[in-house]
Amino acid sequence: MGHVVIDVMLKPEILDPQGQAVNGALPRLGFEQFTDVRQGKRFVLTVDGEVTDEHLAAAAEAAEKLLSNPVIEDVVSVRAQDPDQ
């Protein structure tokens, strides 16, 4: 079985309250090296056999039409998952 991973992020101009909350909490927990946090979402699609270019093209189309809201989100990556992960 193969897996296609799709990452979707809010557009940079869209307010990200969850990212802001995490960004505010990090220094309180001793993580001072980070300057910003943006939250996103990940989808993992399973296919029979190895992931092909056709699978990736179909996943990219599904990401644009169904898995993201193009008004406020960008599809930032569509890729085959490393079999070791």
Side-chain angles (χ1 to χ4, degrees):
M1 281 197 192
H3 301 282
V4 177
V5 178
I6 300 167
D7 292 314
V8 176
M9 296 291 295
L10 288 169
K11 292 180 181 279
E13 62 272 14
I14 300 298
L15 181 65
D16 182 358
Q18 183 177 356
Q20 288 177 332
V22 171
N23 193 45
L26 286 171
R28 293 192 301 272
L29 296 172
F31 300 103
E32 309 247 349
Q33 63 270 50
F34 304 108
T35 60
D36 192 30
V37 176
R38 299 290 291 176
Q39 68 91 25
K41 56 188 175 182
R42 172 173 285 180
F43 298 90
V44 179
L45 308 177
T46 303
V47 300
D48 287 329
E50 297 290 316
V51 176
T52 65
D53 289 341
E54 290 79 19
H55 290 127
L56 292 173
E61 185 175 356
E64 293 293 336
K65 289 184 175 181
L66 175 67
L67 304 178
S68 68
N69 177 344
V71 174
I72 62 168
E73 297 173 320
D74 290 323
V75 176
V76 294
S77 70
V78 177
R79 65 189 183 285
Q81 186 176 42
D82 184 341
D84 296 333
Q85 291 183 341

